[in-house]
Amino acid sequence: AVVSTQSTGKVTGARLGFILVFEHFVFFITGLVDWFIPDIPEHVQTAIEREKYLGKEALRAREANSKQGSENCTEKGMSPPPKSATGQNNSNNHRHVLSEDQGVLEMKELGDLVV
């Protein structure tokens, strides 16, 4: 049985075309699945955003307390407390820790405890 080279070329071209179409179909499906499934679960993203918010609020409260402490000292004719190497008042050296209690993050103030 003699097979002509023209029909062999058509079969080879059809196979190559099928491979290219199938490859692009697979890439499309994997891209679609990747788009629908988030990289970070929603509850984890919510916890991350809550931590950022609580951190910003703690920083604002700390800055407000340090400004208020300095203003109270100057009103009374006293000098404000000395600042540490980090630029923060030593008298207001509080650390904030986020802990998880029954699925709710809450802030605890540990006073002068150095972590």
Side-chain angles (χ1 to χ4, degrees), residues 30 63 85 100 113:
T30 56
E63 288 174 353
E100 189 167 351
L113 177 66

Side-chain angles (χ1 to χ4, degrees), residues 7-25:
S7 65
T8 306
K10 287 182 181 180
V11 170
T12 305
R15 286 181 181 174
L16 181 62
F18 173 77
I19 290 172
L20 289 174
V21 169
F22 185 73
E23 174 195 23
H24 282 77
F25 175 74

